Amino acid sequence: PSAPFRMMNARCGNPVMDSSSIIYDSSKWTPVGDSVQGCMHHHDRAFIIQTFRNTATSGKVVFVGAHFPHSASNGNLKRAAEAEMHRHKDALGVIFAADVNREEQVSTEHVVLGDVHGAAHTVGVAAKGRITSAQKHPSCCKNDGFVHHSDRVATTFTHRDRKRTSL
């Protein structure tokens, strides 16, 4: 991507079978430590977790990006996300963006609590006891006419002021 945007990648398989990326605005966000990367299903279905510090406020967030398997995950994402939140107890909370490969009737909150952090709605210094998620849209997949609601975005916190925050 062009400046000031930067990209981090996680890859699974050899040869690479899957990848997950984070694209962020480096003029607003600085990575804290190394990213945590892994696979959610054997050597497939990549995830990436990165803690970021806001350059203006110094507030921290833990970003979780993933490409979920169609079946149950192996728990690697949940263990990694819970460990990252434990390492950064002063983080505001979690920002989650993923292709969850679950149909519309499966709530984003259910996915986050089950596969990302069992207490996600209460972790983070700005947690409000709930998970706020974007409206679901049919975004997948081109081969069958975009009828699935697999792509999800959510946070475990609400921003304290009304300014727009972007990652």
Side-chain angles (χ1 to χ4, degrees):
S2 58
F5 294 95
R6 294 196 178 146
M7 183 165 61
M8 302 174 164
N9 293 302
R11 294 180 174 88
C12 288
N14 187 15
V16 174
M17 295 175 61
D18 190 42
S19 64
S20 228
S21 300
I22 298 173
I23 299 173
Y24 67 98
D25 184 339
S26 65
S27 71
K28 297 178 181 178
W29 300 97
T30 302
V32 177
D34 294 327
S35 65
V36 179
Q37 303 176 17
C39 303
M40 294 180 69
H41 185 74
H42 304 291
H43 300 291
D44 195 9
R45 305 299 174 156
F47 70 82
I48 183 167
I49 301 169
Q50 178 65 58
T51 299
F52 289 93
R53 182 180 310 280
N54 184 285
T55 58
T57 66
S58 295
K60 293 192 317 189
V61 296
V62 175
F63 187 92
V64 176
H67 184 200
F68 280 57
H70 290 271
S71 58
S73 72
N74 58 19
N76 288 346
L77 172 63
K78 187 173 187 175
R79 284 187 292 278
E82 289 177 347
E84 187 71 1
M85 282 303 298
H86 184 74
R87 279 190 292 276
H88 298 281
K89 292 179 181 174
D90 59 336
L92 296 172
V94 175
I95 298 173
F96 171 77
D99 174 351
V100 300
N101 281 310
R102 303 295 182 269
E103 293 301 337
E104 181 179 18
Q105 66 272 18
V106 178
S107 74
T108 303
E109 182 173 13
H110 178 80
V111 173
V112 172
L113 290 172
D115 291 303
V116 178
H117 198 302
H121 55 294
T122 59
V123 296
V125 296
K128 299 293 185 199
R130 63 188 169 106
I131 294 168
T132 304
S133 59
Q135 182 177 349
K136 293 181 255 180
H137 293 282
S139 56
C140 179
C141 296
K142 184 177 181 179
N143 66 322
D144 62 6
F146 297 99
V147 296
H148 305 286
H149 297 75
S150 298
D151 299 320
R152 310 288 179 90
V153 177
T155 66
T156 63
F157 62 97
T158 54
H159 203 270
R160 285 191 284 267
D161 63 29
R162 297 192 186 260
K163 294 179 185 176
R164 188 175 73 116
T165 300
S166 58
L167 183 61

